[in-house]
């Protein structure tokens, strides 16, 4: 191969490469100009939905979204052209960073929207519609070999989890009949909504929590921690306990009317207090003008009453019929108002 | 470059000169992108940090011993995070630095060229595995394996697994840079030593390593800088417990418990329930700036060491 | 060693005394152990992951016997044979890498052309961008004196997409009339046949290129009825045939040079694997219950482990990486050329160039999470490109790997001997002409190797993606530049926090295996490119 040929060949391959690179770039740019994809004028809903918000509601929203887009022959609702993406950002983070600036269509929250957040949203032209989708029973768990602390009053819980609980606190400090062993605590990381809920409900003030605990966002490691020591105690959302009832023991909480164990029935009946928290989803009323968003929200409300989905798949307490009807009419009103 | 105004050999180049300047400008712009990147990083980090510093004083940030973005009393001291980072880095260095140095010695002094041709690409593979995969390994395989050792009490999240796996990941960095530096030592030095009756071991440890010490030191510092900046391994496997030990036994014990590094804190704050305009959210940029400055200083020191103490042959 | 070969004197009786070799041998073993420590540790961990991902625990012992006999044994024999004949090893490495690259390339083509763009959009931009560029190139080769080709190509590159967007309506109608398979036949297979003809005729000298091109077309077209029966889409078949054409060429090339052992070996092992599957099916032995299977790669994510899949994340990653490759290569080569060819050593510009060099080596050491913060602040918020969109992710990752690629491009350009440059200048070429015709062609293989390795790193990066808000779970692939996307490492990271055992040891393991396969293929392509071009230039 003479030098000339080599040069030609090399420059040829370089040109080819440039051409290919340009083509790839052009194709990629092409993707942006229209919806792209292989659906040419499909019948049925299409569009994209962006969902952000609480990590507690995340499993429920994902399960419902999955059902919504799965093809009918696989048992879903058949809206395969709808493009849903879900992001677990935390309730407050979702409001401030995505929903109120208008970057997401629906925000899930494990607590009601705050007034400040609502006004910030409305300043940006975003109108949240409050829809309750489920109830979570925050569960306190202890080791299966723990036979003394299976019933705790709210007061005792506050002593265990409050800001004054130090590393030297033992079970005996709470009740002198109990073993004189240090308490090992496993709980939610301070940046999560579950943490907020516990501190506000049990300890009376957001952020008031002991520092002597093992924080994690991972329910599995809380269970492993509690399983690993007889003197351990932890807390997380009901879903994990519901799916693994034999791994650890749930504590019956006494809010003045006697100890109540967390279960679908007690939470639905409102007996498991104060740790039953409502879970919400907030669609943007203006996004409801789009068919696919409105359909999805209606589907969500419908599914919120289905026990198989909410309790069976995810582990929360489904809405009862009255609540479902109330949410449906609230949603229908919002859809009507915007159209 | 030929001087075109003395003898015009090629005829009219008017259009071509214009083309030349266009290309020159285009290339200059490409090179400027890197400068813009640095400016962008500095701006993206400094602007929120300035706001943060107006709410939380610099001393309470840099010297504070508690990092509690939400638990009252809320404090944003970065020292527990720095401790977590150093803990994991020291653990990784304890694995990677000796192993990397020995690997480099083997590759440059003992290995036949066939073995070297096999080992070097394999070591490159170590560096190429995605870090989230390493984090998964640490969480799902290494921690149970280590927990099986009798007498060792490991939590699900612990600094030991994370630093062990991180050490494995940065071995290639140490070994390849050190080996380059050792290969640059001229054979005349080695042969001189052999001529005086030294064994291969003597040559390797007393001649080659000291001669290439600047490269080895530079590789050490670069590897440390990489370990400090590593994110996914610690996010997946090391936990979220930012605390500063108060006594020596607690310090050793920290290895077996969960800890939180600066990088893990940045990710946690970014993924968390903190709203965009709050102090807690801005803390993540302040931590990012601290991290950036730390790695920058280490990289500069590494360059300095490599150049200043490099033996010229 | 001077002290040990003490010929002429009986051992134990010498003026020098005996030197203990023990310390040296121990040290050698220590260093050897250290060298393989990391590799062995990684191998053990990989074995665990593969065990989980392929569900090997469920397989009966009988399956292992069949597998060992039909697949492992031939593989071991072949590797032993290849060690004795290194040329055979090289050939088989080339073949395996090309085959893997072909398969991945096929997936990539399907992802970009069929899923993301769609056949109609592809047809439009093919007519307005690719065809004019190709036409200009061919004309430029035929008429060497046409210097306007360069500018013309630039115009086509920039103006083509604009014209294409304007003509989107009519051209998509035409494409709809033609139908997807015909579109791909005309726009992908036929040009590929043309390239095959050129390569066979001019580069490989194997024989008549026309026959080769005709063969490709024949395989593509005649295979359609067969493929229809298996349920695979015709478009997918055509795209895969194109992607695997290089593999066929490699096989033909090696067979023509009588290097057939290197071809037969890997083919035999692959055949053995297929035979294992068939035999165990026939005899009724239970095989492994893999998590990593076709269903996994083509399904959407799900809350139930058995249904979970990686498909939208794979498409998202492919889309982002293609964009990253284009942006990074262009900017990195530009910067490297400036630093090596244009930058003066004194004056303001010289100081600027020095600053840029130092800056690049510092940027290479910045943690990836800081790049994520940069992407969030500049691209997502300031430039308003959207949080977690394809384009934000692409720009962020480009900036992340830019320093590495610039460094390897600089090294490649530096390795071009100065004598070549001086010769070119001596013949009156301008600086740009020298760069374009002398320096860049020589430096391109090294640059490509560095780029492919850097892209392999970019595919696996998670931290920047987390910070710019890439979706935690996406149920469908991204539909355009500004749509939100998920990515492979992000999806694996999210799954690793799901509590159930099936996710931890099944779904995530399969995701890890997917990432590793992609990475391994890219690394081996890079090594192949490096070896191939190193051989050619010497």
């Amino acid at each position: 191969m003479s030098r000339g040929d080599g040069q030609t060949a090399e420059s040829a391959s370089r040109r080819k490469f440039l051409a290919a690179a340009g083509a790839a770039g052009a194709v990629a740019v092409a993707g942006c100009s229209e919806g792209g994809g292989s659906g040419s004028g499909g019948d049925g809903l299409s569009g994209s939905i962006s969902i952000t918000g609480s990590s507690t509601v995340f499993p429920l929203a994902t399960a419902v979204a999955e059902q919504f887009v799965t093809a009918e022959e696989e048992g879903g609702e058949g809206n395969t052209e709808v493009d849903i993406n879900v992001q677990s950002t935390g309730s407050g983070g979702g409001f401030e960073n995505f929903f109120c600036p208008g970057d997401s269509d629906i925000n899930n929250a494990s607590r009601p929207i705050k007034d400040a957040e609502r006004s910030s949203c409305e300043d940006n032209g975003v109108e949240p519609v409050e829809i309750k989708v489920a109830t979570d029973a925050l569960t306190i768990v202890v080791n299966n070999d723990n036979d003394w602390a299976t019933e705790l009053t709210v007061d005792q819980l506050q002593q265990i989890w409050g800001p004054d609980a130090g590393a030297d606190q033992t079970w005996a400090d709470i009740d002198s009949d109990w073993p004189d062993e240090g308490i090992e605590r496993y709980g939610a990381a301070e940046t999560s909504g579950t943490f907020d809920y516990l501190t506000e409900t049990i300890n009376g003030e957001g952020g008031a929590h002991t520092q002597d605990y093992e924080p994690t966002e991972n329910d599995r490691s809380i269970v492993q921690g509690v399983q690993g020591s007889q003197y351990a105690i932890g807390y997380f959302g009901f879903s994990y306990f519901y799916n693994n009832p034999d791994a650890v023991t749930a504590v019956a909480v006494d809010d003045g009317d006697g100890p109540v164990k967390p279960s679908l029935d007690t939470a639905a009946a409102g007996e498991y207090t104060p740790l039953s928290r409502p879970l919400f989803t907030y669609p943007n009323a203006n996004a409801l003008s789009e068919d696919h968003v409105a359909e999805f929200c209606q589907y969500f409300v419908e599914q919120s009453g289905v026990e198989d989905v909410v309790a069976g798949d995810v582990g929360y307490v489904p809405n009862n019929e009255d609540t479902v009807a109330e949410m449906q009419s609230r949603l229908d009103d919002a859809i009507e108002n915007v159209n | 470059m030929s001087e075109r105004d003395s003898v015009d050999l090629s005829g009219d180049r008017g259009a071509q000169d214009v083309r030349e300047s266009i290309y020159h400008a285009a290339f200059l712009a490409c090179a400027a992108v890197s400068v813009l990147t640095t400016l962008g990083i500095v701006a993206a980090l400094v602007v929120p940090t300035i706001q943060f510093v107006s709410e939380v004083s610099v001393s309470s940030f840099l010297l504070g011993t508690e990092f509690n973005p939400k638990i009252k009393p809320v404090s944003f001291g970065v020292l527990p995070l720095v401790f977590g980072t150093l803990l994991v880095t020291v653990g990784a260095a304890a694995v990677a630095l000796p192993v990397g140095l020995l690997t480099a010695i083997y590759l440059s002094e003992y290995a036949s060229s066939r073995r070297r041709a096999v080992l070097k690409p394999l070591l490159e593979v170590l560096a190429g595995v995605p870090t989230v995969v390493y984090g998964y390994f640490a969480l799902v395989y290494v921690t149970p394996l280590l927990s099986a050792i009798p007498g060792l009490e490991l939590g699900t999240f612990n600094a030991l697994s994370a630093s062990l796996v991180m050490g494995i990941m940065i071995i290639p960095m140490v070994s390849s840079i050190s080996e380059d530096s050792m290969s640059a030592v001229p054979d005349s030095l080695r042969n001189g030593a052999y001529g005086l009756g030294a064994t291969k071991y003597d040559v390797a440890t007393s001649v080659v390593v000291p001669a290439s010490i600047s490269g080895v030191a530079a590789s050490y510092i670069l590897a440390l800088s990489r370990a400090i900046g590593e994110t996914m391994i610690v996010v997946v496997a090391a936990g979220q417990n930012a605390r500063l030990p108060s006594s020596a036994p607690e310090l050793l014990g920290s290895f077996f418990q969960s800890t939180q590094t600066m990088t893990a804190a940045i990710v946690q704050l970014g993924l968390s329930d903190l709203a965009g305009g709050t102090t807690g959210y801005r803390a993540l940029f302040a931590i990012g700036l601290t991290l950036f400055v730390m790695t920058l200083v280490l990289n500069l020191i590494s360059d300095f060491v490599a150049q200043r103490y490099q033996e010229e042959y | 060693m001077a002290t040990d070969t003490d010929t002429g004197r009986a051992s134990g009786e010498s003026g020098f005394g005996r030197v203990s070799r023990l310390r040296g041998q121990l040290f050698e073993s220590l260093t050897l152990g250290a060298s393989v420590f990391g590799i062995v540790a990684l191998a053990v961990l990989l074995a665990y992951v593969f065990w989980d991902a392929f569900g090997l625990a469920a397989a009966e012992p009988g399956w292992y016997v069949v597998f060992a006999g039909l697949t492992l044994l031939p593989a071991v024999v072949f590797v032993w044979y290849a060690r004795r004949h290194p040329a055979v090893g090289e050939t088989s490495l080339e073949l395996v890498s090309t085959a893997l690259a072909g398969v991945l390339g096929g997936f990539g083509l399907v992802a970009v052309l069929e899923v993301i763009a769609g056949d109609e959009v592809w047809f439009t931009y093919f007519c307005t961008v690719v065809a004019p560029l190709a036409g200009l190139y061919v004309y430029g080769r035929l008429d060497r004196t046409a210097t306007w080709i360069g500018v013309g190509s630039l115009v086509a590159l920039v103006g083509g997409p604009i014209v294409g967007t304007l003509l989107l309506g009519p051209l998509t109608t035409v494409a709809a009339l033609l139908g997807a398979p015909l579109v791909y036949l005309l726009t992908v297979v036929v040009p590929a046949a043309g390239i095959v003809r050129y390569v066979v005729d001019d580069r490989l000298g194997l024989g008549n290129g026309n026959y080769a091109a005709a063969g490709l077309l024949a395989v593509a077209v005649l295979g359609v009825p067969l493929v229809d029966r298996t349920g695979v889409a015709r478009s997918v078949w055509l795209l895969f045939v194109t992607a695997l054409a290089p593999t066929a060429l490699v096989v033909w090339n090696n067979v023509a040079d009588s290097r057939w052992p290197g071809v037969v070996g890997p083919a035999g092992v692959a055949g053995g694997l297929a035979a294992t599957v068939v035999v165990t099916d026939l005899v009724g032995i239970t095989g492994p219950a893999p998590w990593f299977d076709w269903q996994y790669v083509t399904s959407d994510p799900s809350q139930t482990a058995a249904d979970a899949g990686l498909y939208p994340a794979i498409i998202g990653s492919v889309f982002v990486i293609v964009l990253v490759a284009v942006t990074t290569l262009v900017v990195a080569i530009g910067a490297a050329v400036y630093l090596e060819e244009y930058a003066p050593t004194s004056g303001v510009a010289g100081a600027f160039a020095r600053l840029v060099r130092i800056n690049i080596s510092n940027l290479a050491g910045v943690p990836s999470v800081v790049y994520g913060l940069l992407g969030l602040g500049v691209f997502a918020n300031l430039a308003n490109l959207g949080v977690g969109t394809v384009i934000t992710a692409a720009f962020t990752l480009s900036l992340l790997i830019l320093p590495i690629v610039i460094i390897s491009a600089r090294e490649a350009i530096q390795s071009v001997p100065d004598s070549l440059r001086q010769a070119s200048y001596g013949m009156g070429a301008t600086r740009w002409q020298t760069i374009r015709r002398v320096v860049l062609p020589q430096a391109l293989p090294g640059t490509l190797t560095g780029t492919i390795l850097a892209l392999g790193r970019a595919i696996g990066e998670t931290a920047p993606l987390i910070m710019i808000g890439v979706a935690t779970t996406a149920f469908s692939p991204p539909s355009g530049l500004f749509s939100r996307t998920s990515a492979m490492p992000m999806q694996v990271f999210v799954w690793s926090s799901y509590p159930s055992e099936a996710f931890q040891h099944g779904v995530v393991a399969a995701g890890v295996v997917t990432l590793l396969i992609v990475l391994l293929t890219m690394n081996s392509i890079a090594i192949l490119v490096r070896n191939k071009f190193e051989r050619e230039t010497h």
Side-chain angles (χ1 to χ4, degrees):
Chain A
M1 217 165 56
S2 75
R3 191 75 220 159
D5 281 341
Q7 260 196 325
T8 314
E10 299 291 9
S11 64
S13 65
R14 195 169 47 83
R15 269 199 190 283
K16 256 188 298 186
F17 173 78
L18 276 178
V27 167
V29 167
C32 88
S33 56
E34 70 159 53
S38 26
S40 39
D43 43 304
L45 301 168
S46 71
S48 79
I49 308 180
S50 180
I51 307 178
T52 54
S54 159
S55 54
T56 313
V57 187
F58 176 73
L60 181 60
T62 316
V64 171
E66 187 192 330
Q67 273 294 98
F68 190 70
V69 299
T70 307
E72 273 171 16
E73 52 266 20
E74 291 166 27
E77 287 297 297
N79 299 300
T80 48
E81 297 299 313
V82 179
D83 187 3
I84 305 185
N85 48 67
V86 189
Q87 194 157 353
S88 170
T89 60
S91 314
F95 279 126
E96 268 300 319
N97 303 332
F98 296 93
F99 186 67
C100 292
D103 285 332
S104 75
D105 303 309
I106 301 175
N107 196 55
N108 301 320
S110 53
R111 52 153 174 85
I113 187 173
K114 297 185 187 154
D115 291 332
E117 288 165 344
R118 190 178 276 276
S119 55
S120 157
C121 282
E122 280 163 5
D123 286 343
N124 284 330
V126 170
E127 258 197 66
V129 179
E130 180 171 296
I131 309 277
K132 177 178 161 188
V133 287
T135 311
D136 178 25
L138 191 69
T139 311
I140 314 279
V141 292
V142 292
N143 190 295
N144 286 336
D145 293 330
N146 180 328
D147 52 5
W148 61 90
T150 50
E151 296 171 359
L152 292 172
T153 65
V154 171
D155 213 48
Q156 287 171 325
L157 281 175
Q158 191 175 28
Q159 285 181 46
I160 295 176
W161 291 104
D164 300 323
D168 48 356
Q169 191 189 53
T170 65
W171 287 102
D173 290 335
I174 316 283
D175 185 325
S176 44
D177 294 332
W178 292 351
D180 191 22
E181 297 282 344
I183 308 181
E184 275 181 48
R185 301 178 189 78
Y186 296 86
E190 56 190 282
T191 45
S192 86
T194 312
F195 172 88
D196 281 341
Y197 184 69
L198 185 90
T199 55
E200 280 168 25
T201 323
I202 297 285
N203 298 334
E205 187 193 356
H209 192 286
T210 172
Q211 292 193 24
D212 178 52
Y213 80 117
E214 190 69 29
T216 172
E217 305 259 0
N218 189 327
D219 290 341
R220 194 163 184 260
S221 45
I222 298 181
V223 166
Q224 278 180 331
V226 171
Q227 275 180 322
S229 160
Q230 197 184 5
Y231 305 107
I233 184 171
Y235 66 88
F236 43 63
F238 185 63
S239 150
Y240 195 75
F241 177 72
Y242 183 77
N243 287 317
N244 300 276
D246 304 319
V248 286
T249 306
V251 166
V253 176
D254 185 351
D255 194 21
D257 287 332
V260 180
K261 263 202 183 289
S263 76
L264 290 181
D265 300 318
T266 54
E271 289 167 13
Y272 182 68
T273 57
L275 292 174
S276 296
R277 54 173 174 166
L279 301 176
F280 300 98
T281 185
Y282 289 91
N284 180 357
N286 299 323
L288 289 174
S289 63
E290 298 178 49
D291 278 344
H292 60 286
V293 180
E295 280 275 338
F296 175 74
C297 291
Q298 283 172 329
Y299 182 67
F300 202 168
V301 170
E302 193 190 301
Q303 293 294 95
S304 72
V306 176
E307 182 172 325
D308 277 344
V309 171
V310 182
D313 285 345
V314 187
Y316 295 135
V317 180
N319 284 338
N320 56 33
E321 280 177 21
D322 294 331
T323 318
V324 171
E326 188 191 330
M327 294 300 136
Q328 266 174 343
S329 75
R330 196 184 290 182
L331 186 64
D332 288 338
D333 285 342
I335 296 177
E336 259 190 58
N337 283 341
V338 78
N339 277 328
Chain B
M1 281 295 289
S2 51
E3 304 224 21
R4 289 202 286 279
D5 44 18
S6 52
V7 178
D8 190 0
L9 290 174
S10 52
D12 180 17
R13 283 191 170 215
Q16 202 157 45
D17 280 341
V18 170
R19 256 216 305 275
E20 288 285 318
S21 346
I22 295 179
Y23 286 123
H24 189 149
F27 290 132
L28 183 63
C30 290
V33 167
S34 72
V35 177
L36 288 177
T37 310
T38 312
L39 290 177
I41 292 179
V42 169
L45 293 177
V46 164
V47 169
T49 306
I50 292 180
Q51 271 180 306
F52 175 75
V53 160
S54 68
E55 293 159 13
V56 175
S57 73
V58 174
S59 59
S60 73
F61 175 68
L62 286 178
L63 301 175
T65 55
E66 297 277 337
F67 185 74
N68 296 320
K70 289 282 264 312
I71 296 184
K72 303 245 171 82
V74 168
S75 74
F76 291 101
V78 82
L79 282 187
L81 300 177
V82 172
F83 172 73
T85 305
L86 288 180
L87 189 69
V88 173
T89 305
V90 164
V95 170
L97 301 190
V99 172
L101 180 63
L102 290 174
T103 308
I105 293 177
Y106 181 75
L107 286 176
S108 84
E109 302 299 312
Y110 288 99
S112 66
S113 53
R114 234 180 60 174
R115 282 205 187 165
R116 208 178 306 138
V118 167
L119 277 179
K120 287 196 80 162
L122 284 180
L123 284 172
E124 266 176 54
V125 169
L126 271 186
V129 173
T131 52
V132 69
V133 171
Y134 273 123
Y136 170 73
F137 283 164
L139 180 68
V140 175
Y141 299 121
V142 176
T143 304
L145 266 180
L146 289 179
S147 306
I149 299 177
L152 203 60
E153 268 207 46
L154 278 183
T156 318
F157 296 125
N158 58 85
L160 186 64
S161 307
S163 52
L164 198 63
V165 166
M166 199 188 290
I168 294 178
M169 182 186 77
I170 61 179
I171 288 175
M173 272 190 91
V174 178
S175 74
S176 86
I177 299 178
S178 301
E179 195 237 332
D180 282 344
S181 161
M182 284 178 197
S183 303
V185 174
D187 271 345
S188 53
L189 285 181
R190 291 189 184 85
N191 291 331
Y194 286 137
L196 288 175
T199 61
K200 206 169 207 179
Y201 169 76
D202 289 329
V203 166
T205 53
S206 314
V207 175
V208 175
V209 171
S212 56
I213 197 78
S214 71
V216 171
S219 77
Y220 276 11
I221 300 174
L222 270 179
L224 286 178
S225 151
R226 176 88 165 91
I228 286 181
E230 178 45 49
T231 317
M232 292 319 292
I233 300 181
V234 283
V235 164
V236 175
Q240 294 183 332
N241 205 346
R243 57 174 160 221
L244 211 50
S246 44
S247 61
E250 256 192 61
L251 199 125
L252 276 181
S254 312
F255 264 110
F256 306 113
Q257 297 167 326
S258 68
T259 183
Q260 188 172 47
T261 64
M262 288 192 283
T263 46
I266 293 177
V267 169
Q268 183 200 4
L269 288 173
L271 283 178
S272 77
D273 202 4
L274 291 170
T278 60
T279 315
Y281 190 73
R282 282 193 275 271
L284 97 82
F285 291 95
I287 301 173
L289 186 63
T290 318
L291 186 69
F292 178 64
V293 168
M294 275 175 83
T295 48
L296 188 68
V297 165
L298 276 179
N299 287 340
L300 288 176
I301 294 179
S302 164
D303 281 340
F304 175 73
V305 164
Q307 283 185 351
R308 174 83 191 277
Y309 295 101
Q310 187 168 45
E311 304 276 352
E312 284 295 333
Y313 293 113
Chain C
M1 294 205 287
T3 48
D4 286 324
T5 52
D6 208 15
T7 56
R9 293 182 195 247
S11 56
E13 158 226 318
S14 69
F16 289 120
R18 290 195 56 181
V19 178
S20 162
R21 299 192 64 175
L22 186 62
R23 189 179 55 172
Q25 282 169 330
L26 277 180
F27 185 67
E28 184 175 349
S29 316
L30 182 66
T31 53
L32 177 60
S35 310
V36 299
F37 165 70
I39 300 170
V40 166
L42 183 66
V44 167
L45 291 170
L46 286 178
Y48 266 112
V49 166
F50 275 86
W51 179 268
D52 276 343
F54 286 106
L56 293 175
E60 279 178 352
W63 186 89
Y64 284 107
V65 170
V66 175
F67 179 71
L70 287 179
T71 314
L72 272 187
L73 199 58
V76 166
V77 165
F78 178 68
V79 168
W80 174 85
Y81 181 79
R83 288 198 61 185
R84 315 282 231 104
H85 305 86
V88 170
E90 267 181 41
T91 317
S92 56
L93 180 68
E94 187 185 5
L95 179 61
V96 170
S97 311
T98 327
L100 270 180
V103 171
L104 272 198
F107 277 115
L109 272 179
V110 171
V112 173
L113 296 185
E114 174 78 349
V115 176
I116 297 176
D119 62 285
E120 295 164 7
V121 173
W122 160 244
F123 181 73
T124 312
Y125 287 99
F126 176 82
C127 294
T128 53
V129 178
V130 179
L133 276 178
L136 282 173
Y137 160 68
V138 169
Y139 185 78
R141 284 203 62 217
L142 294 176
D143 180 4
R144 305 288 313 187
T145 60
T147 48
W148 53 269
I149 296 289
V151 178
S153 306
L154 213 62
V155 167
L157 203 57
V158 173
I162 299 176
V163 172
T165 320
L166 292 173
L167 291 179
L168 205 57
L171 285 175
T172 48
T173 328
V174 173
L177 286 174
L178 290 175
L182 193 55
V183 165
Y184 288 123
L185 190 68
L186 291 176
T187 60
V188 176
V189 183
V190 166
I195 296 176
V196 162
R197 174 168 170 268
Y198 163 69
V199 168
V200 169
D201 268 340
D202 294 355
R203 301 292 304 274
L204 297 178
L206 281 175
N208 201 332
N210 292 326
Y211 288 147
L216 175 62
L217 284 170
V219 167
V221 172
L222 295 176
V224 167
L226 293 172
V227 160
D228 276 346
R229 250 183 268 158
T230 60
V232 174
R234 291 181 181 183
S235 324
V236 171
W237 159 250
L238 289 173
L239 290 173
F240 264 94
V241 163
T242 320
L244 288 173
T247 315
L249 282 181
V250 165
V251 170
W252 185 12
N253 190 22
N254 284 310
V255 168
D257 283 348
S258 301
R259 287 198 287 265
W260 57 267
V263 173
V264 165
V269 174
L273 192 59
T276 315
V277 174
V278 168
V279 166
T280 51
D281 247 359
L282 283 178
V283 179
I285 308 178
T286 358
W291 283 99
F292 177 70
D293 54 7
W294 187 249
Q295 178 266 335
Y296 181 78
V297 170
T298 51
S299 314
D300 297 337
S302 161
Q303 294 293 98
T304 23
D307 298 334
L310 205 52
Y311 178 67
I314 295 179
I315 303 292
S317 273
V318 166
F319 198 178
V320 170
I321 289 299
V322 165
L323 291 177
V324 169
V326 171
T327 358
T328 310
L329 206 58
V330 168
V331 176
I333 291 185
V337 164
Y338 177 76
L339 288 176
E340 292 304 310
E341 302 288 327
Y342 281 93
T345 42
S346 61
V348 175
F352 174 72
R354 254 197 318 277
L355 176 71
V356 171
R357 286 191 192 103
I358 298 176
N359 187 39
I360 288 174
S361 57
N362 283 332
L363 279 180
V366 170
S368 55
V369 72
V370 172
Y371 279 102
L373 292 177
L374 168 68
L376 180 68
V378 171
F379 296 127
N381 291 331
L382 197 65
N384 220 9
L385 293 174
V387 174
T389 53
V390 172
I391 194 167
T392 313
F395 283 160
T396 310
L397 288 179
S398 297
L399 286 185
L400 176 70
I401 62 172
L402 196 64
I404 312 171
V405 181
I406 292 181
I407 290 174
S408 75
R410 276 188 64 201
E411 277 175 21
I413 293 180
Q414 273 168 356
S415 72
V416 175
D418 239 6
S419 53
L420 290 179
R421 287 191 190 85
Q422 299 303 334
S424 170
Y425 290 137
M427 292 203 288
T430 64
R431 193 177 282 186
W432 166 238
Q433 284 174 332
T434 309
I435 292 172
R436 199 168 121 238
R437 296 205 177 274
V438 176
V439 177
L440 276 187
Q442 289 274 350
L444 199 65
T447 313
L448 270 184
T449 311
T451 312
I452 296 175
L453 288 174
L455 285 177
R457 177 165 161 200
I459 280 190
E461 280 289 342
T462 324
L465 296 179
I466 298 179
M467 300 318 296
I468 60 172
V470 158
T472 318
T473 299
F475 289 103
S476 24
S479 53
L481 270 185
F482 292 95
S483 68
R484 302 193 59 176
T485 179
S486 176
M488 278 195 287
M490 183 74 186
Q491 184 70 78
V492 169
F493 168 64
V494 167
W495 275 335
S496 72
S497 64
Y498 281 19
S500 91
E501 191 64 29
F503 268 100
Q504 291 270 320
H505 282 267
V507 177
V508 182
V512 165
V513 164
T514 317
L515 270 177
L516 288 173
I517 289 181
V518 168
L519 213 75
L520 188 74
T521 314
M522 292 187 84
N523 275 12
S524 50
I525 298 174
I527 295 178
L528 194 72
V529 166
R530 180 169 62 195
N531 290 348
K532 190 111 217 144
F533 283 93
E534 247 171 42
R535 252 188 296 151
E536 275 186 14
T537 54
H538 295 130

